[in-house]
Amino acid sequence: MCGIVGYIGPQQAYPILIKGLKRLEYRGYDSAGVALMNDNQILNVYKAKGKVSDLESSIEKKDISGTIGIAHTRWATHGEPCQANAHPHYSSSENLALIHNGIIENYAVLKEKLQKNGYVFQSTTDTEVLVQLIEYIRVSHEIDLLSAVQLALRTVVGAYAIAILDRNNPDEIIAARKSSPLVVGVGDNEFFLASDATPIVEYTNKVIYLDDEEIAVINRNTGLKIVNLKNVEVDHAIQTVSLNLGQLEKNGFPHFMLKEIFDQPSCIMDCMRGRINVEANNVVLSAVIDHSERLLAAKRFIIVACGTSWHAALIGKNLLESFCRIPVEVEYASEFRYRDPILSADDVVIAISQSGETADTLAAIELARSKGAFIYGICNVVGSSIARATHTGSYIHVGPEIGVASTKAFTGQVTVLTMLALTLGRLKKTLSEERYLETVKELASIPEKMKHVLELNEKVKELSKPFTYAHNFIYLGRGYSYPVALEGALKLKEISYIHAEGYPAAEMKHGPIALIDAEMPVVVIATKNGMYEKVLSNIQEIKARQGKVIALVTEGDEIIANVADLCIELPKTLECLEPLITSLPLQLLAYHIAVCKGKNVDQPRNLAKSVTVE
Ligand code: M6R
């Protein structure tokens, strides 16, 4: 949801800002802009509708000099994507330029007040209201910029990560955050700002994650000072990030999504590294060991998440209930936060989020915390807001996920949930030693099995071609495969724009079966497990109505091969681990259909990777 970059130091800012925007483009890509202060104290602002490359071509031959600057890539909330609504926004005097990620909820009231005071607006954004408000406060109260920013931020309601340049103070950037991420990179006599560490790691691995309602004053001569909205200075330890640049490149793949699908065997190894000891047949999640008393005393688990992470949560429910015999509820974070849920100190809330920045999940955590629940986070982005807002947790360690469609994060989340259920199940003694050992051993073999599945890539590509013209798809699965069906449908709709629905297979006859005819492709997860016979009957019902069945089956299954139109054969694994295998061909299917349709799979329309607004 919008990417922010800033630079101040001895180097030319523009190349650093543009490169940074490209790294953050997954956060939003409907318009982009940059503000640069040149040596003559001229504050140049350039903006363009479209991608960062459109911004670059629009400013060829313009003055892009300057060693201090801020830049933004937008995912529109208030106002259509157009040049006027792109950031940075000038204040009326054009003395200030501001970029913003978040939403100013009370912008309408503030705008009306400013208009009554003679302020004229160039855009329909909430962001322009904020920069005008800061200028209004500064001028009317005759105070310095920092004080004006503090007052303005105490007036606004909503979420923000902002950075401001001031023509009258050419050696300083002021930046602040609340509920939207902001990282300060600390180099040698230079500082960087960004929505996450990815634009910074090329220059320094030393970062500071700002907390809510903190303001960074970054001055070329006096360095970095962090204060809160009441101007109390705040001390922050500098942290070291361990991202490497290779993780941020496509490495020869045509799209990040395909690279990330193929990354999965090694990512899942990374996720399990140091946690699974195959020789000792043992799983250790340090967060569980450190907080075992609290976790074992839980009367109930509630998992909160959104989108793909919510699908992983459904698999987590099956695992935790089966291995730990504890009731688990799975909630959309966006519903949970407004539902007045029944919560107590006996509950453990598990928050799952790849980005660790999803606004609804963060709000759900805050609510649960306020009711005394213990919060366990499962995140990918190290140091993210959710990772910091939880009592404890486990990173999935699958490396940066750049493609907007989540792939390796999903399997990473499921892997962590499996390890969590195994560890707790053994501690609670609700899981037999035999089942524990069998599952640990099989989990350790999943990366190898994933490699075999990925060898089917060409087959899936060929198979996908006739479906490029489909208008609808149904995905069916039962038990552990039902959330995989939901995830397969989500993958297809978000990148190919084909309407797709996932259902528990047995639900089909309660309504969706009415949709089935010769034009309807139905993807059925029909692996050899406890549900096999039932799912086979569902396939027969579809075929009886001329539906086109694409079945995911276990290697060597001839029965379904004789009934289904197309089969994808997958290596056998334990039923509870099947999502780690069956989700891969569905990711590939969605990818190839979308590529065949000529869609931008890494940056699908209307979407953004990190949903930091409601
Ligand atoms: O970063 P999070 O896991 O909290 O994000 C949640 C959803 O926005 C995300 O999973 C979304 O559904 C993906 N784009 C799906 O591919």
Side-chain angles (χ1 to χ4, degrees):
M1 289 290 106
C2 301
I4 281 183
V5 198
Y7 176 76
I8 179 166
Q11 304 186 59
Q12 283 299 305
Y14 179 75
I16 295 171
L17 297 176
I18 288 292
K19 208 171 199 183
L21 284 188
K22 287 184 177 163
R23 295 230 189 270
L24 289 182
E25 213 166 10
Y26 70 87
R27 299 180 67 87
Y29 33 81
D30 59 46
S31 51
V34 58
L36 296 153
M37 185 94 66
N38 74 11
D39 291 346
N40 300 321
Q41 232 169 299
I42 293 172
L43 180 54
N44 288 309
V45 170
Y46 306 115
K47 323 199 267 192
K49 182 178 173 190
K51 300 196 181 298
V52 178
S53 53
D54 297 308
L55 172 70
E56 276 182 292
S57 14
S58 75
I59 52 183
E60 275 170 14
K61 301 196 185 112
K62 299 258 172 68
D63 175 14
I64 50 164
S65 66
T67 54
I68 172 170
I70 54 177
H72 186 268
T73 178
R74 181 168 185 248
W75 184 87
T77 56
H78 294 61
E80 57 163 334
C82 63
Q83 194 189 23
N85 287 339
H87 304 203
H89 289 285
Y90 274 130
S91 59
S92 279
S93 66
E94 298 196 353
N95 281 333
L96 305 179
L98 179 144
I99 53 176
H100 168 222
N101 167 30
I103 288 184
I104 306 302
E105 288 172 12
N106 56 342
Y107 81 100
V109 182
L110 297 169
K111 188 170 182 175
E112 205 184 315
K113 184 176 166 196
L114 289 163
Q115 281 168 328
K116 281 188 185 141
N117 281 283
Y119 280 78
V120 176
F121 288 82
Q122 309 299 326
S123 78
T124 50
T125 64
D126 51 337
T127 302
E128 193 186 3
V129 175
L130 180 56
V131 69
Q132 301 279 37
L133 177 68
I134 293 169
E135 176 153 291
Y136 169 69
I137 292 175
R138 175 153 90 160
V139 173
S140 59
H141 290 60
E142 296 180 8
I143 51 178
D144 62 16
L145 180 60
L146 174 60
S147 309
V149 169
Q150 286 164 327
L151 265 181
L153 295 181
R154 284 156 69 175
T155 311
V156 298
V157 177
Y160 55 78
I162 56 168
I164 314 169
L165 288 187
D166 177 5
R167 189 197 304 272
N168 297 314
N169 193 354
D171 291 322
E172 196 162 281
I173 301 179
I174 292 188
R177 72 151 269 175
K178 182 184 178 192
S179 305
S180 292
L182 199 56
V183 186
V184 181
V186 184
D188 275 347
N189 293 319
E190 60 184 355
F191 293 92
F192 305 82
L193 267 178
S195 300
D196 66 37
T198 54
I200 297 175
V201 287
E202 198 161 340
Y203 312 99
T204 176
N205 61 358
K206 296 191 176 63
V207 297
I208 292 172
Y209 295 98
L210 291 187
D211 284 326
D212 275 354
E213 302 197 333
E214 288 182 352
I215 303 179
V217 181
I218 311 172
N219 187 287
R220 196 189 295 281
N221 307 311
T222 54
L224 171 69
K225 181 172 89 167
I226 300 174
V227 294
N228 65 18
L229 297 190
K230 293 188 177 145
N231 209 28
V232 177
E233 207 160 329
V234 183
D235 264 346
H236 259 288
I238 295 182
Q239 303 194 24
T240 306
V241 280
S242 57
L243 273 181
N244 72 53
L245 277 182
Q247 292 175 303
L248 306 175
E249 310 289 350
K250 286 189 202 147
N251 286 346
F253 284 91
H255 298 100
F256 279 111
M257 182 179 175
L258 190 62
K259 171 188 176 265
E260 287 159 7
I261 293 172
F262 272 81
D263 274 350
Q264 288 175 104
S266 63
C267 288
I268 298 310
M269 287 284 281
D270 290 342
C271 177
M272 296 189 298
R273 182 160 295 123
R275 292 164 164 175
I276 288 201
N277 181 339
V278 189
E279 279 82 57
N281 272 322
N282 197 14
V283 182
V284 179
L285 277 185
S286 53
V288 178
I289 304 306
D290 294 349
H291 299 275
S292 57
E293 215 173 300
R294 188 69 184 76
L295 292 167
L296 293 173
K299 297 263 185 309
R300 169 176 75 149
F301 284 146
I302 302 167
I303 316 185
V304 292
C306 304
T308 289
S309 300
W310 187 81
H311 298 154
L314 293 176
I315 296 168
K317 172 184 167 75
N318 288 352
L319 287 161
L320 286 162
E321 289 190 342
S322 173
F323 291 6
C324 312
R325 307 313 298 157
I326 185 160
V328 182
E329 291 168 20
V330 175
E331 298 263 7
Y332 283 118
S334 54
E335 289 295 310
F336 179 81
R337 63 182 289 196
Y338 288 118
R339 207 169 46 72
D340 192 15
I342 300 164
L343 275 163
S344 77
D346 289 335
D347 293 318
V348 168
V349 169
I350 302 176
I352 308 181
S353 173
Q354 185 285 131
S355 62
E357 301 295 347
T358 300
D360 285 320
T361 310
L362 203 46
I365 291 171
E366 276 155 20
L367 172 70
R369 245 190 126 107
S370 72
K371 307 275 181 190
F374 185 76
I375 325 284
Y376 192 107
I378 297 180
C379 294
N380 190 30
V381 178
V382 176
S384 55
S385 302
I386 291 175
R388 288 179 295 135
T390 48
H391 291 108
T392 189
S394 305
Y395 284 114
I396 61 173
H397 290 312
V398 298
E401 191 181 64
I402 314 276
V404 165
S406 196
T407 52
K408 61 180 181 174
F410 175 72
T411 45
Q413 290 163 345
V414 173
T415 304
V416 165
L417 286 161
T418 310
M419 293 190 286
L420 178 63
L422 281 166
T423 314
L424 281 174
R426 189 183 225 187
L427 288 172
K428 279 183 76 122
K429 303 194 183 359
T430 43
L431 178 65
S432 73
E433 197 59 9
E434 190 189 353
R435 191 167 177 212
Y436 174 86
L437 295 176
E438 180 191 33
T439 312
V440 172
K441 192 166 167 226
E442 185 60 19
L443 184 59
S445 76
I446 288 292
E448 266 316 300
K449 292 190 176 175
M450 283 179 156
K451 283 186 194 161
H452 292 309
V453 178
L454 293 171
E455 284 164 11
L456 300 171
N457 182 38
E458 279 306 312
K459 178 176 176 174
V460 177
K461 184 177 176 183
E462 271 313 298
L463 172 156
S464 68
K465 285 182 182 156
F467 298 105
T468 310
Y469 303 101
H471 294 296
N472 299 288
F473 255 85
I474 292 179
Y475 286 70
L476 301 176
R478 292 192 77 160
Y480 284 94
S481 297
Y482 160 52
V484 180
L486 293 178
E487 176 60 8
L490 177 65
K491 287 291 85 83
L492 185 71
K493 68 185 124 187
E494 69 182 327
I495 59 169
S496 73
Y497 318 145
I498 294 174
H499 172 241
E501 296 296 337
Y503 281 98
E507 272 298 300
M508 185 184 63
K509 54 187 159 306
H510 299 288
I513 199 164
L515 296 169
I516 292 183
D517 61 15
E519 303 293 306
M520 178 63 87
V522 187
V523 178
V524 189
I525 304 159
T527 38
K528 275 248 168 76
N529 58 34
M531 288 288 162
Y532 179 77
E533 305 291 342
K534 310 267 178 211
V535 176
L536 178 57
S537 304
N538 297 137
I539 292 179
Q540 302 282 14
E541 288 157 8
I542 301 162
K543 285 314 302 169
R545 289 156 185 87
Q546 280 82 51
K548 293 271 166 299
V549 173
I550 306 163
L552 304 193
V553 299
T554 305
E555 274 164 2
D557 184 336
E558 284 171 15
I559 301 172
I560 292 187
N562 286 329
V563 191
D565 296 86
L566 295 158
C567 276
I568 300 173
E569 291 193 43
L570 301 170
K572 174 102 187 115
T573 186
L574 295 175
E575 186 167 354
C576 63
L577 301 180
E578 279 183 358
L580 295 170
I581 296 296
T582 49
S583 53
L584 272 58
L586 300 188
Q587 296 165 353
L588 287 171
L589 182 69
Y591 171 80
H592 288 300
I593 291 177
V595 169
C596 221
K597 284 175 73 99
K599 304 301 177 199
N600 183 343
V601 292
D602 281 340
Q603 295 173 345
R605 70 182 180 203
N606 305 339
L607 292 178
K609 183 78 187 155
S610 173
V611 186
T612 54
V613 294
E614 279 194 53

